[in-house]
């Protein structure tokens, strides 16, 4: 994999929250933490759009830049991970991230809230792959098993794409080219035997 990326197709997302539920179940995430969430704009109005948001594993991640103990690191695939052993729970990453990815597992003062938690692209953490210690801290390591993140696999409309950045952008590019004819609705060409231009 060249560079791991998430992309959510707002034209396909139906706000079912399957990605959120799958992530919580797969990694046994504690109550109060959502590594992934669905955000809806213009809810109940014409032009309503929903997107699934999590850590976007930025190329130049702001969370890495502000962390005073350097607990964030990037894998060869570009996945931004963190070490809970190094984290001091200061909250700088929480304020620096434009996507709100790093979160505290419990309520309370900054010093008593504990270690930050965030989306791992189902790639685990710094511990040995698929070890019990890795699962307890970060959840299941699906990338080491040769699988995609569970949120993308469970997306019923395939709105949420994950994997190699070039492959993900090629799939999205194909979708965009195929849209924009007929009513503009997804599946129109299939239903009426029309071919996209």
């Amino acid at each position: 994999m060249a560079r791991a990326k998430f992309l959510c197709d707002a034209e396909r997302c139906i706000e079912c929250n399957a990605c959120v539920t799958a992530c919580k179940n797969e990694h046994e995430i504690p109550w109060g933490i959502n590594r992934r969430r669905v955000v809806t704009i213009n809810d109940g109005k014409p032009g309503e759009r929903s997107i699934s948001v999590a850590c976007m594993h930025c190329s130049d991640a702001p969370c890495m830049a502000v962390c005073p103990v350097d607990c964030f690191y990037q894998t060869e695939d570009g996945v931004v991970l963190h070490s809970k052993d190094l984290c001091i729970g200061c909250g700088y990453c929480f304020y620096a991230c434009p996507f709100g990815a790093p979160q505290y597992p419990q309520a309370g003062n900054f010093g008593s809230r504990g270690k930050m938690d965030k989306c791992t692209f189902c790639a685990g953490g710094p511990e040995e792959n698929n070890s019990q210690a890795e699962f307890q801290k970060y959840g299941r390591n699906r990338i080491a098993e040769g699988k995609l993140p569970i949120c993308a696999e469970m997306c019923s409309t395939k709105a949420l794409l994950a994997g190699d950045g070039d492959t993900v952008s090629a799939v999205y590019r194909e979708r965009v080219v195929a849209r924009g004819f007929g009513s503009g609705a997804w599946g129109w060409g299939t239903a009426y035997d029309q071919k996209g231009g």
Side-chain angles (χ1 to χ4, degrees):
M1 191 174 351
R3 173 131 191 105
K5 286 293 175 188
F6 279 123
L7 190 144
C8 186
D9 188 346
E11 297 293 325
R12 285 187 173 211
C13 183
I14 59 172
E15 197 184 355
C16 68
N17 282 292
C19 53
V20 176
T21 306
C23 179
K24 286 187 82 68
N25 288 341
E26 184 80 358
H27 304 299
E28 297 179 11
I29 298 170
W31 186 85
I33 292 287
N34 283 326
R35 289 183 179 176
R36 178 164 289 283
R37 66 191 183 285
V38 177
V39 177
T40 303
I41 300 165
N42 293 331
D43 197 8
K45 298 176 185 165
E48 175 183 321
R49 292 288 184 269
S50 297
I51 58 168
S52 181
V53 180
C55 177
M56 292 300 177
H57 303 280
C58 307
S59 301
D60 189 16
C63 57
M64 288 175 66
V66 300
C67 182
V69 293
D70 292 328
C71 75
F72 288 91
Y73 63 99
Q74 213 161 24
T75 66
E76 298 170 2
D77 301 334
V79 177
V80 177
L81 297 176
H82 71 298
S83 170
K84 288 189 178 183
D85 293 336
L86 295 176
C87 179
I88 59 173
C90 66
Y92 286 1
C93 56
F94 174 78
Y95 291 108
C97 178
F99 305 104
Q103 298 175 25
Y104 285 108
Q106 48 190 305
N109 296 330
F110 274 114
S112 64
R113 287 187 179 189
K115 312 291 185 178
M116 297 302 278
D117 192 273
K118 67 177 272 310
C119 165
T120 63
F121 205 82
C122 289
E127 281 78 10
E128 183 184 337
N129 285 346
N130 297 320
S131 67
Q132 186 61 32
E134 181 185 52
F135 181 79
Q136 284 180 329
K137 291 180 187 175
Y138 308 99
R140 189 163 162 210
N141 189 339
R142 293 176 55 88
I143 300 299
E145 297 171 15
K147 299 176 181 177
L148 286 175
I150 190 70
C151 55
E153 281 198 11
M154 293 304 291
C155 184
S156 59
T157 60
K158 298 301 172 209
L160 184 59
L161 302 171
D164 175 65
D166 295 334
T167 306
V168 166
S169 64
V171 169
Y172 186 68
R173 195 173 297 114
E174 265 183 48
R175 289 181 184 179
V176 170
V177 167
R179 290 181 190 147
F181 61 97
S183 70
W186 174 74
W188 179 272
T190 305
Y192 293 97
D193 243 357
Q194 297 175 353
K195 304 295 177 212

